[in-house]
PDB file of all heavy atoms in Angstrom:
ATOM      1  N   LEU A1026       5.787   5.817 -10.417  1.00  0.00           N
ATOM      2  CA  LEU A1026       5.912   5.236 -11.717  1.00  0.00           C
ATOM      3  C   LEU A1026       4.658   5.187 -12.533  1.00  0.00           C
ATOM      4  O   LEU A1026       4.569   5.548 -13.688  1.00  0.00           O
ATOM      5  CB  LEU A1026       6.565   3.768 -11.596  1.00  0.00           C
ATOM      6  CG  LEU A1026       6.661   3.029 -12.921  1.00  0.00           C
ATOM      7  CD1 LEU A1026       7.703   3.803 -13.778  1.00  0.00           C
ATOM      8  CD2 LEU A1026       7.139   1.604 -12.636  1.00  0.00           C
ATOM      9  N   ALA A1027       3.556   4.877 -11.795  1.00  0.00           N
ATOM     10  CA  ALA A1027       2.201   4.891 -12.490  1.00  0.00           C
ATOM     11  C   ALA A1027       1.897   6.318 -12.951  1.00  0.00           C
ATOM     12  O   ALA A1027       1.302   6.454 -14.021  1.00  0.00           O
ATOM     13  CB  ALA A1027       1.169   4.361 -11.537  1.00  0.00           C
ATOM     14  N   LEU A1028       2.203   7.301 -12.124  1.00  0.00           N
ATOM     15  CA  LEU A1028       1.924   8.724 -12.507  1.00  0.00           C
ATOM     16  C   LEU A1028       2.778   9.056 -13.711  1.00  0.00           C
ATOM     17  O   LEU A1028       2.278   9.724 -14.643  1.00  0.00           O
ATOM     18  CB  LEU A1028       2.202   9.646 -11.355  1.00  0.00           C
ATOM     19  CG  LEU A1028       1.172   9.579 -10.275  1.00  0.00           C
ATOM     20  CD1 LEU A1028       1.642  10.411  -9.070  1.00  0.00           C
ATOM     21  CD2 LEU A1028      -0.221  10.027 -10.691  1.00  0.00           C
ATOM     22  N   LEU A1029       4.030   8.684 -13.730  1.00  0.00           N
ATOM     23  CA  LEU A1029       4.938   9.005 -14.848  1.00  0.00           C
ATOM     24  C   LEU A1029       4.435   8.291 -16.112  1.00  0.00           C
ATOM     25  O   LEU A1029       4.364   8.907 -17.196  1.00  0.00           O
ATOM     26  CB  LEU A1029       6.332   8.475 -14.522  1.00  0.00           C
ATOM     27  CG  LEU A1029       7.381   8.750 -15.551  1.00  0.00           C
ATOM     28  CD1 LEU A1029       7.584  10.232 -15.833  1.00  0.00           C
ATOM     29  CD2 LEU A1029       8.700   8.036 -15.256  1.00  0.00           C
ATOM     30  N   ALA A1030       4.022   7.043 -16.029  1.00  0.00           N
ATOM     31  CA  ALA A1030       3.473   6.282 -17.205  1.00  0.00           C
ATOM     32  C   ALA A1030       2.221   7.001 -17.690  1.00  0.00           C
ATOM     33  O   ALA A1030       2.033   7.138 -18.961  1.00  0.00           O
ATOM     34  CB  ALA A1030       3.179   4.839 -16.778  1.00  0.00           C
ATOM     35  N   HIS A1031       1.354   7.492 -16.789  1.00  0.00           N
ATOM     36  CA  HIS A1031       0.151   8.158 -17.206  1.00  0.00           C
ATOM     37  C   HIS A1031       0.510   9.458 -17.951  1.00  0.00           C
ATOM     38  O   HIS A1031      -0.032   9.793 -19.017  1.00  0.00           O
ATOM     39  CB  HIS A1031      -0.704   8.484 -16.004  1.00  0.00           C
ATOM     40  CG  HIS A1031      -1.881   9.332 -16.265  1.00  0.00           C
ATOM     41  ND1 HIS A1031      -1.810  10.690 -16.232  1.00  0.00           N
ATOM     42  CD2 HIS A1031      -3.065   8.991 -16.752  1.00  0.00           C
ATOM     43  CE1 HIS A1031      -3.026  11.194 -16.544  1.00  0.00           C
ATOM     44  NE2 HIS A1031      -3.845  10.197 -16.876  1.00  0.00           N
ATOM     45  N   ASP A1032       1.458  10.197 -17.389  1.00  0.00           N
ATOM     46  CA  ASP A1032       1.852  11.508 -17.944  1.00  0.00           C
ATOM     47  C   ASP A1032       2.496  11.378 -19.331  1.00  0.00           C
ATOM     48  O   ASP A1032       2.218  12.179 -20.203  1.00  0.00           O
ATOM     49  CB  ASP A1032       2.727  12.266 -16.992  1.00  0.00           C
ATOM     50  CG  ASP A1032       1.988  12.758 -15.753  1.00  0.00           C
ATOM     51  OD1 ASP A1032       0.754  12.785 -15.735  1.00  0.00           O
ATOM     52  OD2 ASP A1032       2.701  13.212 -14.812  1.00  0.00           O
ATOM     53  N   ARG A1033       3.278  10.329 -19.444  1.00  0.00           N
ATOM     54  CA  ARG A1033       3.961  10.164 -20.806  1.00  0.00           C
ATOM     55  C   ARG A1033       3.050   9.456 -21.832  1.00  0.00           C
ATOM     56  O   ARG A1033       3.364   9.486 -22.960  1.00  0.00           O
ATOM     57  CB  ARG A1033       5.193   9.304 -20.594  1.00  0.00           C
ATOM     58  CG  ARG A1033       6.284   9.981 -19.806  1.00  0.00           C
ATOM     59  CD  ARG A1033       7.539   9.186 -19.815  1.00  0.00           C
ATOM     60  NE  ARG A1033       8.668   9.888 -19.154  1.00  0.00           N
ATOM     61  CZ  ARG A1033       9.824   9.408 -18.955  1.00  0.00           C
ATOM     62  NH1 ARG A1033      10.084   8.116 -19.313  1.00  0.00           N
ATOM     63  NH2 ARG A1033      10.829  10.111 -18.417  1.00  0.00           N
ATOM     64  N   ALA A1034       2.047   8.772 -21.375  1.00  0.00           N
ATOM     65  CA  ALA A1034       1.053   8.123 -22.246  1.00  0.00           C
ATOM     66  C   ALA A1034       1.709   7.069 -23.081  1.00  0.00           C
ATOM     67  O   ALA A1034       1.256   6.783 -24.220  1.00  0.00           O
ATOM     68  CB  ALA A1034       0.250   9.065 -23.070  1.00  0.00           C
ATOM     69  N   GLU A1035       2.845   6.434 -22.556  1.00  0.00           N
ATOM     70  CA  GLU A1035       3.531   5.432 -23.336  1.00  0.00           C
ATOM     71  C   GLU A1035       2.879   4.043 -23.050  1.00  0.00           C
ATOM     72  O   GLU A1035       2.772   3.241 -23.964  1.00  0.00           O
ATOM     73  CB  GLU A1035       4.997   5.447 -22.992  1.00  0.00           C
ATOM     74  CG  GLU A1035       5.679   6.731 -23.457  1.00  0.00           C
ATOM     75  CD  GLU A1035       7.130   6.809 -22.924  1.00  0.00           C
ATOM     76  OE1 GLU A1035       7.548   5.921 -22.105  1.00  0.00           O
ATOM     77  OE2 GLU A1035       7.818   7.758 -23.259  1.00  0.00           O
ATOM     78  N   ILE A1036       2.635   3.782 -21.803  1.00  0.00           N
ATOM     79  CA  ILE A1036       1.995   2.539 -21.431  1.00  0.00           C
ATOM     80  C   ILE A1036       0.772   2.880 -20.492  1.00  0.00           C
ATOM     81  O   ILE A1036       0.736   3.951 -19.887  1.00  0.00           O
ATOM     82  CB  ILE A1036       2.919   1.559 -20.767  1.00  0.00           C
ATOM     83  CG1 ILE A1036       3.466   2.121 -19.462  1.00  0.00           C
ATOM     84  CG2 ILE A1036       4.048   1.177 -21.699  1.00  0.00           C
ATOM     85  CD1 ILE A1036       4.220   1.108 -18.589  1.00  0.00           C
ATOM     86  N   ARG A1037      -0.120   1.970 -20.399  1.00  0.00           N
ATOM     87  CA  ARG A1037      -1.257   2.172 -19.508  1.00  0.00           C
ATOM     88  C   ARG A1037      -1.326   1.085 -18.412  1.00  0.00           C
ATOM     89  O   ARG A1037      -1.576  -0.119 -18.693  1.00  0.00           O
ATOM     90  CB  ARG A1037      -2.526   2.096 -20.243  1.00  0.00           C
ATOM     91  CG  ARG A1037      -3.792   2.455 -19.537  1.00  0.00           C
ATOM     92  CD  ARG A1037      -5.011   2.533 -20.417  1.00  0.00           C
ATOM     93  NE  ARG A1037      -6.071   2.831 -19.586  1.00  0.00           N
ATOM     94  CZ  ARG A1037      -7.341   2.836 -20.004  1.00  0.00           C
ATOM     95  NH1 ARG A1037      -7.576   2.637 -21.316  1.00  0.00           N
ATOM     96  NH2 ARG A1037      -8.347   3.099 -19.184  1.00  0.00           N
ATOM     97  N   PRO A1038      -0.891   1.394 -17.230  1.00  0.00           N
ATOM     98  CA  PRO A1038      -0.914   0.401 -16.136  1.00  0.00           C
ATOM     99  C   PRO A1038      -2.305  -0.133 -15.949  1.00  0.00           C
ATOM    100  O   PRO A1038      -3.325   0.649 -16.015  1.00  0.00           O
ATOM    101  CB  PRO A1038      -0.442   1.200 -14.893  1.00  0.00           C
ATOM    102  CG  PRO A1038       0.278   2.353 -15.436  1.00  0.00           C
ATOM    103  CD  PRO A1038      -0.396   2.686 -16.751  1.00  0.00           C
ATOM    104  N   THR A1039      -2.456  -1.422 -15.717  1.00  0.00           N
ATOM    105  CA  THR A1039      -3.723  -2.053 -15.567  1.00  0.00           C
ATOM    106  C   THR A1039      -4.036  -2.383 -14.053  1.00  0.00           C
ATOM    107  O   THR A1039      -5.146  -2.664 -13.696  1.00  0.00           O
ATOM    108  CB  THR A1039      -3.919  -3.288 -16.368  1.00  0.00           C
ATOM    109  OG1 THR A1039      -2.824  -4.242 -16.034  1.00  0.00           O
ATOM    110  CG2 THR A1039      -3.816  -2.908 -17.872  1.00  0.00           C
ATOM    111  N   PHE A1040      -2.943  -2.464 -13.234  1.00  0.00           N
ATOM    112  CA  PHE A1040      -3.183  -2.851 -11.888  1.00  0.00           C
ATOM    113  C   PHE A1040      -2.015  -2.318 -11.045  1.00  0.00           C
ATOM    114  O   PHE A1040      -0.864  -2.315 -11.406  1.00  0.00           O
ATOM    115  CB  PHE A1040      -3.232  -4.385 -11.758  1.00  0.00           C
ATOM    116  CG  PHE A1040      -3.439  -4.843 -10.386  1.00  0.00           C
ATOM    117  CD1 PHE A1040      -4.754  -4.836  -9.770  1.00  0.00           C
ATOM    118  CD2 PHE A1040      -2.380  -5.397  -9.573  1.00  0.00           C
ATOM    119  CE1 PHE A1040      -4.988  -5.303  -8.420  1.00  0.00           C
ATOM    120  CE2 PHE A1040      -2.609  -5.811  -8.253  1.00  0.00           C
ATOM    121  CZ  PHE A1040      -3.906  -5.763  -7.750  1.00  0.00           C
ATOM    122  N   GLN A1041      -2.354  -1.908  -9.760  1.00  0.00           N
ATOM    123  CA  GLN A1041      -1.382  -1.516  -8.762  1.00  0.00           C
ATOM    124  C   GLN A1041      -1.591  -2.241  -7.511  1.00  0.00           C
ATOM    125  O   GLN A1041      -2.779  -2.375  -7.110  1.00  0.00           O
ATOM    126  CB  GLN A1041      -1.531  -0.015  -8.480  1.00  0.00           C
ATOM    127  CG  GLN A1041      -0.846   0.889  -9.472  1.00  0.00           C
ATOM    128  CD  GLN A1041      -0.906   2.340  -8.996  1.00  0.00           C
ATOM    129  OE1 GLN A1041      -1.912   2.881  -8.656  1.00  0.00           O
ATOM    130  NE2 GLN A1041       0.298   2.929  -8.859  1.00  0.00           N
ATOM    131  N   PHE A1042      -0.557  -2.677  -6.879  1.00  0.00           N
ATOM    132  CA  PHE A1042      -0.566  -3.289  -5.576  1.00  0.00           C
ATOM    133  C   PHE A1042       0.382  -2.467  -4.731  1.00  0.00           C
ATOM    134  O   PHE A1042       1.573  -2.789  -4.720  1.00  0.00           O
ATOM    135  CB  PHE A1042      -0.280  -4.725  -5.569  1.00  0.00           C
ATOM    136  CG  PHE A1042      -0.364  -5.397  -4.228  1.00  0.00           C
ATOM    137  CD1 PHE A1042      -1.629  -5.668  -3.651  1.00  0.00           C
ATOM    138  CD2 PHE A1042       0.803  -5.689  -3.494  1.00  0.00           C
ATOM    139  CE1 PHE A1042      -1.737  -6.142  -2.362  1.00  0.00           C
ATOM    140  CE2 PHE A1042       0.650  -6.194  -2.206  1.00  0.00           C
ATOM    141  CZ  PHE A1042      -0.556  -6.479  -1.646  1.00  0.00           C
ATOM    142  N   LEU A1043      -0.106  -1.525  -4.052  1.00  0.00           N
ATOM    143  CA  LEU A1043       0.707  -0.680  -3.179  1.00  0.00           C
ATOM    144  C   LEU A1043       0.611  -1.092  -1.742  1.00  0.00           C
ATOM    145  O   LEU A1043      -0.415  -1.269  -1.181  1.00  0.00           O
ATOM    146  CB  LEU A1043       0.325   0.784  -3.299  1.00  0.00           C
ATOM    147  CG  LEU A1043       0.272   1.351  -4.770  1.00  0.00           C
ATOM    148  CD1 LEU A1043      -0.254   2.730  -4.836  1.00  0.00           C
ATOM    149  CD2 LEU A1043       1.603   1.240  -5.426  1.00  0.00           C
ATOM    150  N   TYR A1044       1.752  -1.382  -1.221  1.00  0.00           N
ATOM    151  CA  TYR A1044       1.869  -1.976   0.193  1.00  0.00           C
ATOM    152  C   TYR A1044       2.751  -1.054   1.008  1.00  0.00           C
ATOM    153  O   TYR A1044       3.818  -1.485   1.405  1.00  0.00           O
ATOM    154  CB  TYR A1044       2.343  -3.392   0.088  1.00  0.00           C
ATOM    155  CG  TYR A1044       2.580  -4.187   1.294  1.00  0.00           C
ATOM    156  CD1 TYR A1044       1.490  -4.468   2.117  1.00  0.00           C
ATOM    157  CD2 TYR A1044       3.777  -4.727   1.586  1.00  0.00           C
ATOM    158  CE1 TYR A1044       1.671  -5.176   3.298  1.00  0.00           C
ATOM    159  CE2 TYR A1044       3.953  -5.524   2.645  1.00  0.00           C
ATOM    160  CZ  TYR A1044       2.953  -5.714   3.528  1.00  0.00           C
ATOM    161  OH  TYR A1044       3.140  -6.508   4.693  1.00  0.00           O
ATOM    162  N   PRO A1045       2.376   0.146   1.301  1.00  0.00           N
ATOM    163  CA  PRO A1045       3.226   1.078   2.005  1.00  0.00           C
ATOM    164  C   PRO A1045       3.150   0.827   3.542  1.00  0.00           C
ATOM    165  O   PRO A1045       2.204   0.263   4.023  1.00  0.00           O
ATOM    166  CB  PRO A1045       2.635   2.447   1.665  1.00  0.00           C
ATOM    167  CG  PRO A1045       1.218   2.232   1.446  1.00  0.00           C
ATOM    168  CD  PRO A1045       1.125   0.849   0.825  1.00  0.00           C
ATOM    169  N   MET A1046       4.157   1.298   4.217  1.00  0.00           N
ATOM    170  CA  MET A1046       4.153   1.205   5.632  1.00  0.00           C
ATOM    171  C   MET A1046       3.591   2.555   6.112  1.00  0.00           C
ATOM    172  O   MET A1046       4.214   3.592   6.022  1.00  0.00           O
ATOM    173  CB  MET A1046       5.609   1.030   6.182  1.00  0.00           C
ATOM    174  CG  MET A1046       5.671   0.875   7.671  1.00  0.00           C
ATOM    175  SD  MET A1046       7.380   0.520   8.139  1.00  0.00           S
ATOM    176  CE  MET A1046       7.180   0.166   9.848  1.00  0.00           C
ATOM    177  N   LEU A1047       2.374   2.540   6.646  1.00  0.00           N
ATOM    178  CA  LEU A1047       1.640   3.748   6.922  1.00  0.00           C
ATOM    179  C   LEU A1047       1.697   4.176   8.427  1.00  0.00           C
ATOM    180  O   LEU A1047       1.758   5.333   8.737  1.00  0.00           O
ATOM    181  CB  LEU A1047       0.220   3.536   6.547  1.00  0.00           C
ATOM    182  CG  LEU A1047      -0.069   3.362   5.016  1.00  0.00           C
ATOM    183  CD1 LEU A1047      -1.533   3.109   4.853  1.00  0.00           C
ATOM    184  CD2 LEU A1047       0.401   4.476   4.294  1.00  0.00           C
ATOM    185  N   ASP A1048       1.734   3.198   9.351  1.00  0.00           N
ATOM    186  CA  ASP A1048       1.590   3.596  10.738  1.00  0.00           C
ATOM    187  C   ASP A1048       2.491   2.727  11.597  1.00  0.00           C
ATOM    188  O   ASP A1048       2.263   1.501  11.630  1.00  0.00           O
ATOM    189  CB  ASP A1048       0.112   3.440  11.101  1.00  0.00           C
ATOM    190  CG  ASP A1048      -0.207   3.999  12.538  1.00  0.00           C
ATOM    191  OD1 ASP A1048       0.734   4.458  13.177  1.00  0.00           O
ATOM    192  OD2 ASP A1048      -1.345   4.060  12.848  1.00  0.00           O
ATOM    193  N   ASP A1049       3.500   3.344  12.163  1.00  0.00           N
ATOM    194  CA  ASP A1049       4.352   2.495  13.024  1.00  0.00           C
ATOM    195  C   ASP A1049       3.939   2.528  14.471  1.00  0.00           C
ATOM    196  O   ASP A1049       4.572   1.917  15.381  1.00  0.00           O
ATOM    197  CB  ASP A1049       5.814   3.069  12.942  1.00  0.00           C
ATOM    198  CG  ASP A1049       5.945   4.528  13.467  1.00  0.00           C
ATOM    199  OD1 ASP A1049       4.880   5.139  13.691  1.00  0.00           O
ATOM    200  OD2 ASP A1049       7.074   4.955  13.616  1.00  0.00           O
ATOM    201  N   ARG A1050       2.751   3.147  14.793  1.00  0.00           N
ATOM    202  CA  ARG A1050       2.336   3.132  16.230  1.00  0.00           C
ATOM    203  C   ARG A1050       1.873   1.792  16.658  1.00  0.00           C
ATOM    204  O   ARG A1050       1.724   1.543  17.871  1.00  0.00           O
ATOM    205  CB  ARG A1050       1.185   4.118  16.372  1.00  0.00           C
ATOM    206  CG  ARG A1050       1.657   5.559  16.163  1.00  0.00           C
ATOM    207  CD  ARG A1050       0.577   6.562  16.280  1.00  0.00           C
ATOM    208  NE  ARG A1050      -0.306   6.365  15.058  1.00  0.00           N
ATOM    209  CZ  ARG A1050      -1.518   6.888  14.943  1.00  0.00           C
ATOM    210  NH1 ARG A1050      -1.967   7.778  15.802  1.00  0.00           N
ATOM    211  NH2 ARG A1050      -2.170   6.626  13.879  1.00  0.00           N
ATOM    212  N   THR A1051       1.660   0.762  15.801  1.00  0.00           N
ATOM    213  CA  THR A1051       1.247  -0.604  16.186  1.00  0.00           C
ATOM    214  C   THR A1051       2.384  -1.334  16.773  1.00  0.00           C
ATOM    215  O   THR A1051       2.204  -2.442  17.304  1.00  0.00           O
ATOM    216  CB  THR A1051       0.612  -1.271  15.021  1.00  0.00           C
ATOM    217  OG1 THR A1051       1.622  -1.416  14.061  1.00  0.00           O
ATOM    218  CG2 THR A1051      -0.518  -0.562  14.510  1.00  0.00           C
ATOM    219  N   THR A1052       3.585  -0.853  16.695  1.00  0.00           N
ATOM    220  CA  THR A1052       4.769  -1.658  17.214  1.00  0.00           C
ATOM    221  C   THR A1052       4.775  -1.902  18.694  1.00  0.00           C
ATOM    222  O   THR A1052       5.225  -2.921  19.136  1.00  0.00           O
ATOM    223  CB  THR A1052       6.076  -0.964  16.829  1.00  0.00           C
ATOM    224  OG1 THR A1052       6.138   0.313  17.387  1.00  0.00           O
ATOM    225  CG2 THR A1052       6.263  -0.872  15.315  1.00  0.00           C
ATOM    226  N   THR A1053       4.158  -0.998  19.427  1.00  0.00           N
ATOM    227  CA  THR A1053       4.190  -1.134  20.877  1.00  0.00           C
ATOM    228  C   THR A1053       2.891  -1.457  21.424  1.00  0.00           C
ATOM    229  O   THR A1053       2.756  -1.726  22.661  1.00  0.00           O
ATOM    230  CB  THR A1053       4.664   0.210  21.597  1.00  0.00           C
ATOM    231  OG1 THR A1053       3.851   1.241  21.112  1.00  0.00           O
ATOM    232  CG2 THR A1053       6.108   0.484  21.145  1.00  0.00           C
ATOM    233  N   ARG A1054       1.845  -1.555  20.619  1.00  0.00           N
ATOM    234  CA  ARG A1054       0.478  -1.875  21.097  1.00  0.00           C
ATOM    235  C   ARG A1054       0.316  -3.363  21.352  1.00  0.00           C
ATOM    236  O   ARG A1054       0.771  -4.209  20.529  1.00  0.00           O
ATOM    237  CB  ARG A1054      -0.643  -1.336  20.176  1.00  0.00           C
ATOM    238  CG  ARG A1054      -0.703   0.080  20.145  1.00  0.00           C
ATOM    239  CD  ARG A1054      -1.712   0.581  19.287  1.00  0.00           C
ATOM    240  NE  ARG A1054      -3.064   0.084  19.691  1.00  0.00           N
ATOM    241  CZ  ARG A1054      -4.208   0.342  19.038  1.00  0.00           C
ATOM    242  NH1 ARG A1054      -4.160   1.028  17.918  1.00  0.00           N
ATOM    243  NH2 ARG A1054      -5.346  -0.153  19.441  1.00  0.00           N
ATOM    244  N   THR A1055      -0.243  -3.761  22.492  1.00  0.00           N
ATOM    245  CA  THR A1055      -0.491  -5.129  22.741  1.00  0.00           C
ATOM    246  C   THR A1055      -1.955  -5.497  22.705  1.00  0.00           C
ATOM    247  O   THR A1055      -2.321  -6.665  22.877  1.00  0.00           O
ATOM    248  CB  THR A1055       0.030  -5.469  24.160  1.00  0.00           C
ATOM    249  OG1 THR A1055      -0.555  -4.616  25.135  1.00  0.00           O
ATOM    250  CG2 THR A1055       1.539  -5.296  24.225  1.00  0.00           C
ATOM    251  N   ASP A1056      -2.859  -4.576  22.460  1.00  0.00           N
ATOM    252  CA  ASP A1056      -4.273  -4.799  22.474  1.00  0.00           C
ATOM    253  C   ASP A1056      -4.806  -5.116  21.103  1.00  0.00           C
ATOM    254  O   ASP A1056      -6.041  -5.265  20.989  1.00  0.00           O
ATOM    255  CB  ASP A1056      -5.047  -3.590  23.020  1.00  0.00           C
ATOM    256  CG  ASP A1056      -4.805  -2.316  22.253  1.00  0.00           C
ATOM    257  OD1 ASP A1056      -3.648  -2.148  21.648  1.00  0.00           O
ATOM    258  OD2 ASP A1056      -5.749  -1.543  22.114  1.00  0.00           O
ATOM    259  N   LEU A1057      -4.025  -5.273  20.095  1.00  0.00           N
ATOM    260  CA  LEU A1057      -4.479  -5.506  18.736  1.00  0.00           C
ATOM    261  C   LEU A1057      -4.757  -6.957  18.501  1.00  0.00           C
ATOM    262  O   LEU A1057      -3.925  -7.868  18.866  1.00  0.00           O
ATOM    263  CB  LEU A1057      -3.537  -4.998  17.702  1.00  0.00           C
ATOM    264  CG  LEU A1057      -3.261  -3.478  17.713  1.00  0.00           C
ATOM    265  CD1 LEU A1057      -2.146  -3.050  16.813  1.00  0.00           C
ATOM    266  CD2 LEU A1057      -4.542  -2.718  17.379  1.00  0.00           C
ATOM    267  N   ASP A1058      -5.862  -7.333  17.859  1.00  0.00           N
ATOM    268  CA  ASP A1058      -6.156  -8.664  17.466  1.00  0.00           C
ATOM    269  C   ASP A1058      -5.554  -8.886  16.088  1.00  0.00           C
ATOM    270  O   ASP A1058      -6.033  -8.400  15.032  1.00  0.00           O
ATOM    271  CB  ASP A1058      -7.661  -8.871  17.441  1.00  0.00           C
ATOM    272  CG  ASP A1058      -7.990 -10.275  16.931  1.00  0.00           C
ATOM    273  OD1 ASP A1058      -7.149 -11.172  16.942  1.00  0.00           O
ATOM    274  OD2 ASP A1058      -9.185 -10.450  16.672  1.00  0.00           O
ATOM    275  N   THR A1059      -4.420  -9.578  16.026  1.00  0.00           N
ATOM    276  CA  THR A1059      -3.790  -9.749  14.793  1.00  0.00           C
ATOM    277  C   THR A1059      -4.058 -11.071  14.048  1.00  0.00           C
ATOM    278  O   THR A1059      -3.415 -11.431  13.069  1.00  0.00           O
ATOM    279  CB  THR A1059      -2.256  -9.689  14.952  1.00  0.00           C
ATOM    280  OG1 THR A1059      -1.834 -10.659  15.894  1.00  0.00           O
ATOM    281  CG2 THR A1059      -1.772  -8.311  15.527  1.00  0.00           C
ATOM    282  N   LEU A1060      -5.060 -11.796  14.574  1.00  0.00           N
ATOM    283  CA  LEU A1060      -5.370 -13.106  13.893  1.00  0.00           C
ATOM    284  C   LEU A1060      -5.996 -12.882  12.544  1.00  0.00           C
ATOM    285  O   LEU A1060      -5.862 -13.669  11.615  1.00  0.00           O
ATOM    286  CB  LEU A1060      -6.352 -13.907  14.779  1.00  0.00           C
ATOM    287  CG  LEU A1060      -5.811 -14.382  16.074  1.00  0.00           C
ATOM    288  CD1 LEU A1060      -6.905 -15.025  16.908  1.00  0.00           C
ATOM    289  CD2 LEU A1060      -4.666 -15.318  15.891  1.00  0.00           C
ATOM    290  N   LYS A1061      -6.659 -11.764  12.300  1.00  0.00           N
ATOM    291  CA  LYS A1061      -7.246 -11.544  11.003  1.00  0.00           C
ATOM    292  C   LYS A1061      -6.537 -10.481  10.227  1.00  0.00           C
ATOM    293  O   LYS A1061      -7.009 -10.062   9.117  1.00  0.00           O
ATOM    294  CB  LYS A1061      -8.735 -11.076  11.217  1.00  0.00           C
ATOM    295  CG  LYS A1061      -9.581 -12.160  11.847  1.00  0.00           C
ATOM    296  CD  LYS A1061     -10.999 -11.655  12.009  1.00  0.00           C
ATOM    297  CE  LYS A1061     -11.770 -12.725  12.724  1.00  0.00           C
ATOM    298  NZ  LYS A1061     -13.198 -12.246  12.933  1.00  0.00           N
ATOM    299  N   VAL A1062      -5.407 -10.120  10.649  1.00  0.00           N
ATOM    300  CA  VAL A1062      -4.544  -9.144   9.872  1.00  0.00           C
ATOM    301  C   VAL A1062      -3.896  -9.919   8.668  1.00  0.00           C
ATOM    302  O   VAL A1062      -3.255 -10.913   8.930  1.00  0.00           O
ATOM    303  CB  VAL A1062      -3.499  -8.462  10.786  1.00  0.00           C
ATOM    304  CG1 VAL A1062      -2.517  -7.607   9.949  1.00  0.00           C
ATOM    305  CG2 VAL A1062      -4.168  -7.685  11.831  1.00  0.00           C
ATOM    306  N   ARG A1063      -4.016  -9.284   7.498  1.00  0.00           N
ATOM    307  CA  ARG A1063      -3.551 -10.061   6.354  1.00  0.00           C
ATOM    308  C   ARG A1063      -2.260  -9.410   5.853  1.00  0.00           C
ATOM    309  O   ARG A1063      -1.406 -10.080   5.219  1.00  0.00           O
ATOM    310  CB  ARG A1063      -4.568  -9.990   5.194  1.00  0.00           C
ATOM    311  CG  ARG A1063      -5.758 -10.725   5.468  1.00  0.00           C
ATOM    312  CD  ARG A1063      -6.672 -10.703   4.290  1.00  0.00           C
ATOM    313  NE  ARG A1063      -7.876 -11.412   4.590  1.00  0.00           N
ATOM    314  CZ  ARG A1063      -8.719 -11.812   3.725  1.00  0.00           C
ATOM    315  NH1 ARG A1063      -8.545 -11.536   2.446  1.00  0.00           N
ATOM    316  NH2 ARG A1063      -9.856 -12.454   4.032  1.00  0.00           N
TER     317      ARG A1063
END
């Protein structure tokens, strides 16, 4: 949507918060310290 808005030059987005799911390999790991994961 941000790329479309840029290409059409109708509105100018001022902020994006993208929260994609990037890596599913952490589902089975038990060695991760998740206390500081936000």
Side-chain angles (χ1 to χ4, degrees):
L1026 178 61
L1028 290 172
L1029 179 66
H1031 174 269
D1032 292 347
R1033 289 185 176 178
E1035 294 173 354
I1036 61 169
R1037 187 174 177 184
T1039 57
F1040 181 77
Q1041 279 187 304
F1042 181 75
L1043 305 177
Y1044 180 58
M1046 185 175 186
L1047 297 175
D1048 190 354
D1049 64 349
R1050 292 176 293 174
T1051 62
T1052 59
T1053 58
R1054 289 183 61 183
T1055 58
D1056 61 324
L1057 297 175
D1058 178 16
T1059 58
L1060 294 176
K1061 296 181 182 178
V1062 174
R1063 294 184 182 194

